[in-house]
């Protein structure tokens, strides 16, 4: 896939990484001739059903509770336009346009499989919006994750019929203005198209793509930063011994232990206290493989579930042929809502243990590392208040960890009597991850300071490269000064994946 830089919607297998590559323009999404043929045949089936007089949900009936109300053939097109208008009831700030763009990519993949009755012209117009960089404005609140993400998907597709707003060239403008600029007319929706567009889990799944990407970076960063803190606080390397983890062989735990060992390899700091009298370390150092590993397992669970979802048909009804249409529940968000809540908790735990290591670094119990990470305290407060911020962030995360999927509020006058709330699961998970990125940045800030006090002893070569990189932007402190700007530098290093990139480069140079 990376060689040809082309992805064929509805045919190729989509992953979170590929979805991000398509949405960022690194890979071009297209419709093959065979896909166009499948889509055309499905839309022709819908056209025939619409005039047959045979009641099929959403094609010639009303929606939700109104599923028994027959709609005339003459009104089926109006019905599809009305559903976009009536269901666009989202509120709150717009989601990041990157997520809106992902929603378009994911919806194209689902619709292009040829089970939805969508028209080729509609898919082509969706691709046009993507390639033009005109990304629909989607409010963040309003989905209960039941018939999919009805409200956000309605906002996503209002621009197809010339309504709603779009992000375009750094501004938010009315869709009508965009179409006028490009001399393009709104499309006319055919039977079932409106329903096909708004039934689905693409709001939840797009958030899950971002969770998979950002949590993966958090987990990799956490292993590196925790290893640096282990050096700075002269922790023992024995808890990462391979033989220990073979006795409790969780694959993710083993992977974390192996990574920490690799990061600590060749460390002069670690060798300097190999024969010290200390018996064991606090859990925040000793149990890094167990805690980080458990969070990594949760991340892998979400990644596996998401890959199924990205290649699934999640609208309703599903069109197989003239004689078989099924009104089922593939739009229900529960398969992603549960692992998203699991991932949210997993992310929070990375922040919790990171905050504990930050606190540990301030205690002054490591030879050569002063209390509060500064030699002269009293007049100076040192790094004392830095930990207040990590504590506040960790506490905030705990309040966000109540699983959204544990709740269900009936909607559609009881027709949709169990809902997933998966959209909230996705939004909360990203909020928690953002807080954890900040906590890890603060730990990096403190760990680099602790390592400095062991000079001239050197860290392992990989961690030395990371430490050197930190010191290109953040100085060692020996008296109080404004700290928040340096904290922001460290946080950015985590958020942008710089720490992982530096460590990977140093590792490759060793091989």
């Amino acid at each position: 896939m990376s060689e040809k830089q082309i992805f064929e919607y509805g045919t190729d297998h989509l992953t979170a990484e590929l979805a991000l590559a398509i949405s960022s323009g690194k890979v071009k999404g297209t419709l093959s001739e065979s896909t166009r043929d499948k889509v055309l045949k499905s839309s022709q089936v819908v056209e025939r059903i619409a005039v047959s007089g045979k009641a099929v949900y959403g094609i010639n009936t009303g929606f939700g509770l109104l599923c028994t109300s027959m709609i005339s053939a003459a009104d089926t097109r109006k019905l599809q336009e009305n559903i976009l208008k009536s269901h666009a009831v989202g509120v709150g700030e717009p989601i990041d346009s990157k997520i809106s763009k992902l929603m378009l990519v994911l919806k194209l993949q689902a619709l292009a499989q040829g089970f939805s009755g969508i028209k080729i012209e509609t898919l082509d117009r969706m691709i046009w919006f993507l390639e033009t960089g005109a990304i629909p404005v989607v409010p963040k609140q309003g989905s209960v994750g039941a018939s999919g993400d009805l409200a956000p998907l309605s906002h996503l597709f209002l621009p197809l019929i010339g309504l709603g707003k779009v992000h375009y060239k750094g501004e938010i403008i009315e869709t009508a203005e965009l179409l006028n600029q490009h001399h393009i007319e709104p499309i006319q929706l055919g039977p079932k198209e409106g329903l096909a567009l708004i039934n689905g889990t693409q709001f939840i799944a797009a958030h899950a793509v971002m969770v998979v990407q950002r949590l993966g970076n958090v987990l990799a960063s956490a292993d590196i930063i925790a290893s640096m803190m282990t050096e700075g606080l002269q922790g023992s390397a024995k808890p990462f011994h391979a033989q220990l983890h073979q006795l409790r062989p969780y694959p993710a735990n083993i992977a974390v232990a192996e990574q920490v060992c690799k990061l600590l390899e060749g460390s002069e700091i670690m060798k300097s206290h190999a024969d010290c009298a200390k018996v064991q370390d606090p859990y925040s150092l000793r149990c890094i493989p167990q805690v980080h590993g458990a969070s990594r397992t949760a991340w892998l669970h979400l990644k596996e579930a998401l890959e199924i979802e990205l290649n699934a048909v999640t609208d309703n009804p599903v069109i197989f042929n003239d004689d078989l249409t099924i009104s089922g529940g593939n739009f229900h968000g529960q398969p992603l809502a549960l692992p998203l809540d699991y991932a949210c908790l997993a992310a929070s735990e990375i922040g919790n243990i990171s905050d504990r290591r930050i606190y540990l670094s301030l205690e002054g119990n490591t030879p050569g590392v002063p209390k509060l990470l500064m030699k002269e305290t009293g007049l100076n407060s040192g790094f004392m208040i830095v930990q207040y911020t990590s504590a506040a962030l960790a506490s905030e995360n705990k309040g966000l960890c109540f699983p959204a999927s544990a709740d269900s509020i009936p909607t559609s006058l009881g027709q949709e009597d169990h809902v997933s709330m998966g959209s909230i699961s996705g939004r909360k998970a990203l909020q928690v991850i953002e807080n954890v990125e900040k906590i890890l940045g603060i730990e990096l800030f403190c760990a680099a300071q602790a390592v400095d006090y062991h000079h001239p002893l050197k860290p392992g070569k990989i961690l030395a490269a990371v430490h050197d990189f930190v010191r290109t932007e953040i100085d060692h402190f020996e008296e109080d000064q404004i700290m928040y700007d340096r904290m922001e530098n460290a946080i950015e290093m985590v958020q942008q994946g710089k720490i992982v990139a530096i460590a990977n480069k140093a590792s490759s140079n060793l091989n």
Side-chain angles (χ1 to χ4, degrees), residues 387-459:
Q387 191 267 329
Y388 283 41
T389 302
S390 66
L393 291 164
S395 182
E396 182 179 321
N397 281 350
K398 292 170 189 176
L400 292 167
C401 278
F402 182 87
S405 58
D407 185 33
S408 177
I409 299 175
T411 55
S412 193
L413 301 184
Q415 177 76 6
E416 298 166 7
D417 56 354
H418 181 278
V419 301
S420 73
M421 302 299 181
S423 63
I424 302 170
S425 302
R427 285 171 42 224
K428 287 200 305 94
L430 283 179
Q431 190 174 348
V432 166
I433 289 168
E434 182 175 340
N435 287 342
V436 174
E437 290 166 344
K438 294 172 182 174
I439 295 170
L440 288 172
I442 293 169
E443 184 184 358
L444 177 64
F445 184 43
C446 294
Q449 183 84 358
V451 166
D452 286 342
Y453 288 112
H454 298 294
H455 185 77
L457 298 177
K458 296 179 180 179

Side-chain angles (χ1 to χ4, degrees), residues 220 224 259 462 466 499-509 511:
I224 296 164
Q259 175 70 347
I462 298 173
V466 174
I499 294 302
V500 176
I502 292 294
N504 288 343
K505 182 178 179 181
S507 177
S508 65
N509 289 338
N511 298 330

Side-chain angles (χ1 to χ4, degrees), residues 316-346:
N316 182 60
V318 174
I319 311 299
F320 290 95
N321 52 53
D322 290 80
D323 300 317
L324 182 60
T325 62
I326 299 177
S327 183
N330 275 9
F331 48 64
H332 201 291
Q334 197 80 348
L336 282 187
L338 294 179
L340 276 168
D341 283 332
Y342 183 20
C344 181
L345 177 61

